[in-house]
Amino acid sequence: MNARPRTPARSPAAVRLGRPAEIRRRCHEILAIGERGDLPHFDVRTDRLAAAAGIVAGVTRERYPDLAVPPHSRWRHFEVGGTDRWNMLARGLDPDERARAAFDLVVPSVLLDAGAGAGWRYREAGTGQEFARSEGLAVASFAMFSAGVFSSDAARPLRTDASALRACDPQRLAGAFQAGPGNRLKGMEGRAGLLRALGEALEKRPDLFGSPPRVGGLYDRFRALPAPPSTAELLETLLDALHPIWPERIVVDGSSLGDVWRHPSLRRGDETDRLVPFHKLTQWLAYSLMEPLAEAGIRVRDPDGLTGLAGNRNGGAVLRTGGAEYRNGGLFIDAGVLEPRDKGVFTVEHSPGAELVVEWRALTLALLDRLAPLVRDRLELDEAQLPLAGILEGGTWAAGRMLARRAREGGEPPIRLASDGTVF
């Protein structure tokens, strides 16, 4: 049997646009343009950041009275409803296999978090509890993993391997998500296709995923390094491993860039200098993998090296991008830090590549960096005690959700994004 061809290497431009420092630099450049009043879509009121920080600090104290704030990651969703699902499931695994299984669980779970819509619910068999949105998707994907849906070896269900992923079909996914008439969950074809693409990506990279390839093989790659990776190195590895599954939007030198978009305010240099990278879902995944790595004794260096998360997801009929990050952007609008110049933007849906959306996301990411030290000051904590991941969890998304509920029936985000669930 012929070996599958290895995925072509990413171009130097793609590698550069995947570095957290480059993401930050370009987003802060957009913010600087906004502070001069020269952006096309938003006025920036940084004088209102202090009030926003007060809101975030208050929400953080309410949610975590002892101020021991855990990091923002997919693992918080697995704990929803007060159930420690992961530790019950992984009990008895040796430390290395536990870490591999954690990778096997969290990667497909993050990729499946493409949005649920307002009406979908998932009822957990073991507890009888009902969950919606990202929490429901997390609990559903956890149940799928526990049942061996992502494993081709019935004797070893707690794994995610290429063979099982490549056999994924929409009907089986729909059943696992309890989706159907009266409990509609859009995007089954897209979700199944994404998992199949992940399986193909694993098979093309035995250097990263081992042989036979499984997601958890990536843990062994990090374990074999002479020193723990930095957050930038962690993100680079994930982008290198997963870039074949990104939709082709902007392609530079043969590389599809993924969650990278154009904005006209960046006018200098060549075409790549006019691009704004985010890699939001891949960074969300990186935050989520830092926890099992730390539990296995591999503490990722420079934990604040990743950026804040700036995405948008719609709670209505269209799909959302994964995670709670649309609440971060909503926080700044609802707190008055960002003011759309055209109030009509609130009444229509916007495509992921719209100038307005790219501008909003870039401003959100840069403003999270500005907000973080203000929140720490109010809570009398330093960066080590409350890293950026804690600011997000404590934090900005919860404050954004609170303000959204006050401002709009159903707590919908202020700006709606029409997405196919593949904004990575």
Side-chain angles (χ1 to χ4, degrees):
M1 181 177 178
N2 294 330
R4 288 181 174 269
R6 180 185 166 117
T7 303
R10 294 162 67 227
S11 68
V15 172
R16 183 174 72 255
L17 289 165
R19 292 172 182 151
E22 188 68 13
I23 298 171
R24 269 199 167 89
R25 184 181 71 80
R26 295 183 186 221
C27 290
H28 279 274
E29 185 172 344
I30 294 286
L31 176 58
I33 295 170
E35 289 183 295
R36 296 196 300 267
D38 293 333
L39 286 176
H41 299 287
F42 286 94
D43 289 319
V44 180
R45 295 291 305 273
T46 49
D47 57 304
R48 296 174 178 171
L49 265 179
I55 295 169
V56 174
V59 169
T60 301
R61 281 192 183 278
E62 182 178 347
R63 298 183 72 231
Y64 298 98
D66 60 359
L67 296 183
V69 184
H72 184 59
S73 80
R74 188 61 161 169
W75 297 98
R76 306 291 79 75
H77 291 151
F78 296 141
E79 300 163 354
V80 68
T83 302
D84 191 354
R85 295 172 182 82
W86 169 243
N87 281 319
M88 289 190 292
L89 181 67
R91 186 182 298 121
L93 296 178
D94 70 66
D96 285 332
E97 185 57 26
R98 179 183 171 101
R100 293 185 195 101
F103 274 54
D104 285 327
L105 164 63
V106 82
V107 170
S109 181
V110 165
L111 295 182
L112 286 169
D113 190 22
W120 175 80
R121 298 290 186 274
Y122 179 82
R123 182 176 292 277
E124 188 176 27
T127 66
Q129 296 182 89
E130 195 172 86
F131 303 102
R133 301 186 184 268
S134 272
E135 290 86 352
L137 293 169
V139 174
S141 62
F142 187 94
M144 293 163 66
F145 177 77
S146 304
V149 170
F150 305 132
S151 174
S152 60
D153 186 346
R156 294 186 290 176
L158 302 185
R159 55 193 288 128
T160 297
D161 59 56
S163 181
L165 289 170
R166 293 185 70 237
C168 185
D169 65 80
Q171 292 73 28
R172 189 178 187 190
L173 270 188
F177 280 119
Q178 301 173 0
N183 194 37
R184 190 180 181 201
L185 180 63
K186 291 185 66 174
M188 285 303 163
E189 289 285 352
R191 294 172 208 270
L194 188 59
L195 292 183
R196 289 194 298 270
L198 175 61
E200 293 174 4
L202 299 187
E203 291 182 329
K204 292 179 180 179
R205 296 301 302 269
D207 58 316
L208 293 178
F209 297 107
S211 182
R214 64 181 284 194
V215 171
L218 192 58
Y219 161 73
D220 292 294
R221 167 77 176 215
F222 290 119
R223 186 184 62 165
L225 294 175
S230 66
T231 48
E233 291 165 341
L234 174 60
L235 180 62
E236 167 58 26
T237 301
L238 292 175
L239 289 170
D240 183 35
L242 300 178
H243 80 271
I245 74 175
W246 304 158
E248 287 199 359
R249 294 191 181 94
I250 297 176
V251 178
V252 174
D253 297 333
S255 290
S256 179
L257 300 183
D259 189 12
V260 178
W261 311 86
R262 294 182 178 90
H263 194 280
S265 294
L266 299 180
R267 297 189 180 96
R268 55 177 172 65
D270 61 20
E271 174 63 19
T272 60
D273 287 327
R274 302 185 182 100
L275 300 176
V276 185
F278 299 105
H279 300 299
K280 193 262 310 191
L281 193 61
T282 315
Q283 293 203 75
W284 166 245
L285 181 56
Y287 276 117
S288 299
L289 292 180
M290 288 168 66
E291 291 190 56
L293 284 171
E295 187 180 88
I298 303 172
R299 297 200 171 274
V300 176
R301 293 180 287 113
D302 187 22
D304 260 10
L306 298 176
T307 73
L309 302 176
N312 181 17
R313 61 181 191 170
N314 187 301
V318 295
L319 290 182
R320 303 169 292 172
T321 62
E325 292 71 48
Y326 75 107
R327 296 299 187 190
N328 295 332
L331 164 69
F332 292 117
I333 291 178
D334 288 335
V337 179
L338 297 178
E339 294 183 340
R341 294 186 167 181
D342 177 7
K343 298 305 185 287
V345 303
F346 298 132
T347 63
V348 297
E349 292 174 355
H350 304 271
S351 70
E355 286 179 15
L356 168 84
V357 174
V358 177
E359 190 173 306
W360 182 30
R361 296 180 71 196
L363 291 169
T364 296
L365 190 151
L367 287 169
L368 287 169
D369 281 345
R370 294 273 192 94
L371 186 78
L374 302 178
V375 174
R376 293 186 189 110
D377 285 347
R378 280 156 180 76
L379 296 176
E380 299 182 327
L381 299 174
D382 59 27
E383 190 173 328
Q385 295 168 310
L386 189 65
L388 184 57
I391 299 283
L392 298 174
E393 177 61 27
T396 55
W397 76 267
R401 180 169 62 180
M402 179 189 73
L403 293 182
R405 286 173 172 169
R406 290 178 181 176
R408 289 168 295 279
E409 185 177 355
E412 300 301 333
I415 293 177
R416 296 177 294 141
L417 179 70
S419 170
D420 61 1
T422 56
V423 179
F424 297 103

